[in-house]
Amino acid sequence: MNNYHHGNLKQLLLEEGIKLLAEEGYNNFSLRKLARRCRVSHTSPYRHFSDRNELILAIARDVQDKFNTALRDALNSTEGTQTEKILAMGRGYVHFFLENPDFLELLFLTPELWDLSCGKHDHSDGSSLETYLAAVFQLLAERDSDFEGFSMDPSHLDGRIPGEALRPWCLVHGLTVLLVKKALPVSDPKAVDQLISQVLSV
């Protein structure tokens, strides 16, 4: 019955869980369905997760960590100006979700999961929002001294994020949704990068 090697069931549950969430939706997701999908006994998931919500939280955290890593890798991929770093991060943002459309659904397009996926749990290397704000505030500080030393801890912002700092995120996120949902007939990676450069003018 089992199709996994001993010790990697937890990772299999995470990988197949995100797919099941995308297919079934939050309300129809169950550990029993996931166990059937993974071809293990219906009690096997409970070796690693106490209930469905603990598993969904683990999935959300895993996806957020992967997203944050993608943003950090994009930032570190260029030694250019801060503006070039923001553009690189924008490209990393878009391509991450084009390659993993189910992740976009989980993090941003499933209302029931917003509390689970948007910073309500610890991340080993900070959150994607912190990574983004650190880069953008550094860029804005180069232009305006009022942004120097601005807190980048989302828990302390309490809705006080300046619109100027959010503009690049909003632009690249809107473009991401349009591309992932195929509302824009653009799929060639070079054409996508050109579109990001045109839209994300910081």
Side-chain angles (χ1 to χ4, degrees), residues 67-93 127-139 152 169 200:
F67 179 39
N68 191 27
T69 296
L71 294 182
R72 288 180 177 272
D73 288 347
L75 280 170
N76 295 330
S77 69
T78 177
E79 296 181 356
T81 66
Q82 198 63 23
T83 296
E84 290 171 334
K85 288 180 178 291
I86 300 299
L87 289 172
M89 185 168 58
R91 288 191 293 270
Y93 191 117
S127 69
S128 54
L129 178 58
E130 289 175 88
T131 296
Y132 165 81
L133 290 178
V136 172
F137 281 136
Q138 184 174 339
L139 172 64
M152 291 168 291
W169 180 291
L200 192 57

Side-chain angles (χ1 to χ4, degrees), residues 2-199:
N2 298 350
N3 70 336
Y4 66 93
H5 297 292
H6 179 71
N8 70 353
L9 174 60
K10 183 175 183 179
Q11 187 59 36
L12 179 64
L13 292 170
L14 293 174
E15 292 173 357
E16 294 300 323
I18 179 63
K19 298 175 184 176
L20 185 63
L21 273 171
E23 295 169 7
E24 297 282 342
Y26 176 80
N27 291 327
N28 294 322
F29 180 90
S30 72
L31 290 182
R32 184 177 289 271
K33 288 181 180 179
L34 181 58
R36 188 181 307 120
R37 184 187 187 102
C38 295
R39 300 179 63 190
V40 298
S41 71
H42 71 274
T43 59
S44 293
Y46 292 98
R47 299 174 190 169
H48 301 284
F49 304 100
S50 61
D51 55 31
R52 67 190 292 272
N53 284 332
E54 183 178 355
L55 173 58
I56 292 173
L57 177 60
I59 291 171
R61 177 172 182 168
D62 186 53
V63 171
Q64 275 281 11
D65 287 344
K66 285 181 170 64
F67 179 39
N68 191 27
T69 296
L71 294 182
R72 288 180 177 272
D73 288 347
L75 280 170
N76 295 330
S77 69
T78 177
E79 296 181 356
T81 66
Q82 198 63 23
T83 296
E84 290 171 334
K85 288 180 178 291
I86 300 299
L87 289 172
M89 185 168 58
R91 288 191 293 270
Y93 191 117
V94 173
H95 287 290
F96 176 80
F97 288 115
L98 283 175
E99 295 168 6
N100 306 282
D102 292 343
F103 292 178
L104 179 68
E105 199 75 31
L106 171 70
L107 293 185
F108 295 112
L109 303 179
T110 305
E112 296 90 346
L113 300 182
W114 287 342
D115 281 349
L116 292 178
S117 61
C118 295
K120 296 300 177 93
H121 47 85
D122 294 332
H123 297 276
S124 59
D125 201 18
S127 69
S128 54
L129 178 58
E130 289 175 88
T131 296
Y132 165 81
L133 290 178
V136 172
F137 281 136
Q138 184 174 339
L139 172 64
L140 294 177
E142 293 176 358
R143 301 175 178 177
D144 187 342
S145 59
D146 289 342
F147 285 97
E148 293 181 0
F150 200 95
S151 172
M152 291 168 291
D153 183 349
S155 65
H156 296 158
L157 291 171
D158 193 24
R160 296 180 292 107
I161 304 176
E164 188 176 357
L166 284 177
R167 188 177 298 117
W169 180 291
C170 294
L171 287 170
V172 77
H173 180 74
L175 178 61
T176 299
V177 173
L178 291 173
L179 289 170
V180 170
K181 295 298 182 181
K182 301 188 184 305
L184 290 175
V186 180
S187 58
D188 179 75
K190 291 183 179 179
V192 169
D193 285 345
Q194 183 178 13
L195 192 56
I196 294 169
S197 296
Q198 292 171 344
V199 171

